[in-house]
């Protein structure tokens, strides 16, 4: 079976272009993979995968909610007990939308506790129909002692309480925080690298696209801070090149299509070792406004 490969392309570099955002996601996945491996080996650090959410809102409230969200994230990482244990982070803001007018079996399975708590079942009107959900995925750098020293550890309940206080919203019922057991080629890398909005959401309709475009245009999406900001600079200077994988299977994993949300099972293509090397050279020249704090 023949396989088609992209030889050359001219990019518009528009954040909402599906081809350009796909290209940027690939570049970011490789960059983050290298940075995480370098920080783990050189600094001896460990990582948390932190997801911060807020209640759904309407299209007209989305921009204001994102402003509030970004300020709350900064307040969270500026808290004394957080600054004491967090050595840096990279975070990505993401927005999803619910455009199902009625509760489907798939949606019910995904949010079973939410629907059951409200006495809802499959086929009922969907209470979150035509709403938007901003959230942040962050990979947080911590010392190894974080997991075995009581004075360093922050429980999930503490993260939630702090996030409620920073958002000034007690209705937030959960945050997700877990240890990342693998770094470079883990799903955490891909979760950070993928788009601010899934293609299936962004291009659902003109109305939905307008809501995303208005709220996300010109915003900082990928943010580096602390140690991760330092290592982003090292990466761009070529100081981390020795951490770039030469194993074809590793890069095949990182270059999979990201269009299916967090499901990375559809392989896009496989490249030869020579093409890997050429891709890495070209990736260094693909400019992206990587925002830093």
């Amino acid at each position: 079976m023949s396989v088609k490969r992209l030889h050359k392309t001219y990019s518009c570099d528009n954040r909402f272009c599906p081809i350009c955002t796909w290209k940027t996601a690939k570049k970011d996945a490789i960059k983050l993979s290298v940075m995480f491996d370098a920080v783990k080996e050189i600094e001896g650090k460990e990582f948390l995968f932190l997801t911060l959410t807020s209640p759904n809102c309407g299209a007209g409230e989305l921009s204001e909610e994102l402003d509030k969200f970004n300020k709350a994230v900064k307040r969270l990482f500026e808290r004394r007990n957080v600054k004491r244990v967090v050595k840096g982070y990279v975070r990505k803001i993401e927005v999803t939308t619910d455009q199902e007018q009625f509760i489907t079996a798939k949606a019910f399975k995904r949010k079973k506790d939410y629907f059951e708590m409200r006495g809802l079942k499959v086929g009922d009107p969907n209470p979150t129909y035509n709403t938007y959900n901003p959230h942040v995925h962050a990979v947080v750098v911590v010392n190894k002692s974080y997991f075995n020293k009581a004075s360093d550890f922050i429980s999930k309940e503490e993260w939630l309480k702090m996030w409620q206080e920073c958002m000034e919203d007690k209705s937030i019922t959960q945050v997700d925080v877990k240890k990342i057991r693998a770094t470079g080629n883990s799903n955490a890398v891909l979760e950070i690298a993928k788009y601010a909005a899934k293609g299936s959401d962004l291009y659902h309709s003109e109305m939905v696209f307008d809501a995303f475009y208005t709220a996300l245009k010109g915003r900082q999406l990928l943010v580096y801070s602390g140690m991760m900001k330092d290592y982003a600079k090292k990466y761009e200077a070529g100081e981390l090149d020795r951490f770039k994988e030469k194993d074809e299977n590793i890069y095949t994993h990182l270059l999979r299509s990201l269009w299916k949300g967090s499901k990375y099972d559809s392989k896009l293509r496989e490249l030869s070792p020579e093409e890997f090397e050429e891709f890495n050279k070209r990736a260094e020249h693909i400019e992206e406004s990587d925002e830093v704090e």
Side-chain angles (χ1 to χ4, degrees), residues 165-220:
E165 291 171 352
C166 290
M167 282 289 286
E168 299 178 343
D169 188 347
K170 295 294 184 181
S171 71
I172 298 173
T173 59
Q174 61 180 356
V175 298
D176 188 42
V177 57
K178 62 186 72 172
K179 180 179 181 180
I180 299 176
R181 306 211 173 267
T183 51
N185 63 343
S186 71
N187 278 359
V189 170
L190 299 179
E191 197 68 46
I192 295 290
K194 71 186 180 72
Y195 314 110
K198 293 188 295 184
S200 57
D201 284 350
L202 188 61
Y203 306 116
H204 179 274
S205 67
E206 184 177 351
M207 179 188 70
V208 171
F209 179 84
D210 286 345
F212 276 108
Y213 186 89
T214 301
L216 293 174
K217 189 177 186 300
R219 287 187 180 274
Q220 294 183 340

Side-chain angles (χ1 to χ4, degrees), residues 268-279:
L268 180 67
R269 67 180 184 209
E270 295 184 2
L271 306 179
S272 69
E274 292 78 15
E275 288 173 318
F276 281 141
E277 186 174 352
E278 179 63 22
F279 177 84

Side-chain angles (χ1 to χ4, degrees), residues 27-220:
K27 177 201 169 185
D28 288 341
I30 293 174
K31 179 177 180 177
L32 292 168
S33 172
V34 170
M35 288 170 57
F36 293 154
D37 283 344
V39 169
K40 189 176 183 70
E41 180 176 316
I42 297 172
E43 306 290 344
K45 303 300 183 184
E46 296 290 345
F47 303 90
L48 301 176
F49 188 65
L50 177 66
T51 301
L52 303 169
T53 64
S54 68
N56 285 30
C57 63
E61 306 165 309
L62 182 55
S63 186
E64 183 179 344
E65 188 68 18
L66 287 172
D67 289 339
K68 177 182 176 182
F69 206 99
N70 282 328
K71 291 176 183 177
V73 171
K74 289 184 178 181
R75 284 197 293 269
L76 176 67
F77 283 104
E78 287 172 357
R79 293 178 76 110
R80 184 167 56 183
N81 62 328
V82 175
K83 288 181 71 173
R84 182 171 52 83
V85 298
V86 171
K87 307 307 175 185
Y89 63 82
V90 53
R91 63 177 172 88
K92 181 72 171 283
I93 196 161
E94 182 180 359
V95 180
T96 56
T97 184
D98 190 343
Q99 294 299 320
E100 295 288 349
Q101 192 168 356
F102 298 95
I103 301 172
T104 64
K106 184 177 180 180
F108 187 86
K109 183 178 180 180
R110 187 175 67 250
K111 300 193 294 183
K112 183 178 179 181
D113 291 343
Y114 173 84
F115 290 131
E116 286 187 340
M117 184 170 62
R118 289 159 177 76
L120 299 171
K121 61 184 184 301
V122 175
D124 285 346
N126 182 6
T128 59
Y129 168 61
N130 198 28
T131 62
Y132 297 79
N133 179 248
H135 51 280
V136 157
H137 297 299
V139 175
V140 181
V141 185
V142 295
N143 291 329
K144 288 184 177 180
S145 61
Y146 179 90
F147 300 100
N148 51 40
K149 190 176 179 181
S151 60
D152 286 352
F153 185 73
I154 301 176
S155 69
K156 185 175 181 179
E157 291 72 24
E158 289 177 280
W159 280 110
L160 174 59
K161 182 179 179 182
M162 290 190 295
W163 180 236
Q164 288 175 333
E165 291 171 352
C166 290
M167 282 289 286
E168 299 178 343
D169 188 347
K170 295 294 184 181
S171 71
I172 298 173
T173 59
Q174 61 180 356
V175 298
D176 188 42
V177 57
K178 62 186 72 172
K179 180 179 181 180
I180 299 176
R181 306 211 173 267
T183 51
N185 63 343
S186 71
N187 278 359
V189 170
L190 299 179
E191 197 68 46
I192 295 290
K194 71 186 180 72
Y195 314 110
K198 293 188 295 184
S200 57
D201 284 350
L202 188 61
Y203 306 116
H204 179 274
S205 67
E206 184 177 351
M207 179 188 70
V208 171
F209 179 84
D210 286 345
F212 276 108
Y213 186 89
T214 301
L216 293 174
K217 189 177 186 300
R219 287 187 180 274
Q220 294 183 340

